[in-house]
Amino acid sequence: DVKVTQSSRYLVKRTGEKVFLECVQDMDHENMFWYRQDPGLGLRLIYFSYDVKMKEKGDIPEGYSVSREKKERFSLILESASTNQTSMYLCASSLSLLFGAGGTDTQYFGPGTRLTVL
Amino acid sequence: GNSVTQMEGPVTLSEEAFLTINCTYTATGYPSLFWYVQYPGEGLQLLLKATKADDKGSNKGFEATYRKETTSFHLEKGSVQVSDSAVYFCALSESAGGTSYGKLTFGQGTILTVHP
């Protein structure tokens, strides 16, 4: 089974702190994604990565950055946390859809990190 | 751009009732369609999917049919259980292949509560 793990289930930080959220997948997936989940808004894509050191902005990248130094690990960084970044953060991974890679568009999710910024 | 609209919740049912959660979409090309489920305190997990028009996805007694003519992918279950209480998300992918990277667009989610 695909396993996606996230470094923390719950996190409490103060305004202005730098926050790192880590995600690791064990299925050699090329694609990795970071979402935030808020009531009534569903999941919104923050950033995604389709290969090591490659990253693309999603729908709401402002206030966030990402890092992918190894294929299995994708980090979300809040450079200076603010109260409006209090949310549930979900990481996901999937195989590549690029021609010849033989992947599918099914994404596999981690358990989520509930971040509270005070 | 792509979008997904789900029926507003929350939905509250008694055990063994029939469930329908409506989902309609707007997309270019030929997206794949998904239903994901999120149980309390957990991440999302794939419930079912359909990759082309008239395909029916099914799993755990849930079904959904890809209707291109009505751009819909409604989720149904004939007899719900208390254990089905969760949040359900409808989603679509950009067209497979090329440089789509398999990004998903999600609906806002529908909270289902089933009472004994």
Side-chain angles (χ1 to χ4, degrees), chain A residues 25-89:
Chain A
Q25 49 94 4
D26 66 358
M27 284 301 292
D28 205 34
H29 284 173
E30 289 82 9
N31 301 327
M32 296 188 76
F33 306 83
W34 274 108
Y35 297 90
R36 63 176 285 174
Q37 180 184 2
D38 300 289
L41 297 177
L43 274 70
R44 294 178 291 167
L45 182 64
I46 304 170
Y47 268 96
F48 69 99
S49 167
Y50 54 90
D51 202 350
V52 175
K53 296 193 185 293
M54 306 305 291
K55 59 186 179 184
E56 294 282 342
K57 292 179 180 179
D59 300 318
I60 52 164
E62 297 78 19
Y64 304 94
S65 62
V66 290
S67 172
R68 193 160 180 208
E69 297 297 319
K70 293 185 178 181
K71 190 174 185 181
E72 67 271 18
R73 188 179 298 268
F74 191 36
S75 302
L76 180 69
I77 303 152
L78 287 65
E79 296 288 343
S80 177
S82 64
T83 54
N84 63 10
Q85 292 178 310
T86 291
S87 186
M88 170 72 87
Y89 290 88

Side-chain angles (χ1 to χ4, degrees), chain B residues 21-41:
Chain B
I21 301 177
N22 290 339
C23 172
T24 58
Y25 68 90
T26 302
T28 55
Y30 302 95
S32 293
L33 300 174
F34 304 80
W35 277 99
Y36 278 84
V37 59
Q38 183 179 36
Y39 297 104

Side-chain angles (χ1 to χ4, degrees), chain B residues 11-109:
Chain B
V11 174
T12 302
L13 295 172
S14 297
E15 209 165 24
E16 299 184 3
F18 184 84
L19 168 71
T20 299
I21 301 177
N22 290 339
C23 172
T24 58
Y25 68 90
T26 302
T28 55
Y30 302 95
S32 293
L33 300 174
F34 304 80
W35 277 99
Y36 278 84
V37 59
Q38 183 179 36
Y39 297 104
E42 299 183 13
L44 277 68
Q45 54 185 272
L46 179 67
L47 181 59
L48 53 85
K49 66 182 284 187
T51 58
K52 60 183 188 297
D54 299 325
D55 267 4
K56 178 186 281 189
S58 62
N59 186 26
K60 299 182 181 182
F62 290 89
E63 292 183 341
T65 302
Y66 189 141
R67 301 282 188 205
K68 193 168 186 295
E69 64 277 10
T70 54
T71 62
S72 65
F73 193 55
H74 304 321
L75 182 68
E76 296 182 337
K77 186 175 185 183
S79 176
V80 293
Q81 305 300 313
V82 172
S83 57
D84 293 327
S85 298
V87 184
Y88 292 81
F89 291 93
C90 185
L92 66 81
S93 73
E94 297 180 3
S95 300
T99 57
S100 71
Y101 305 119
K103 289 194 293 180
L104 296 181
T105 299
F106 286 86
Q108 71 270 38

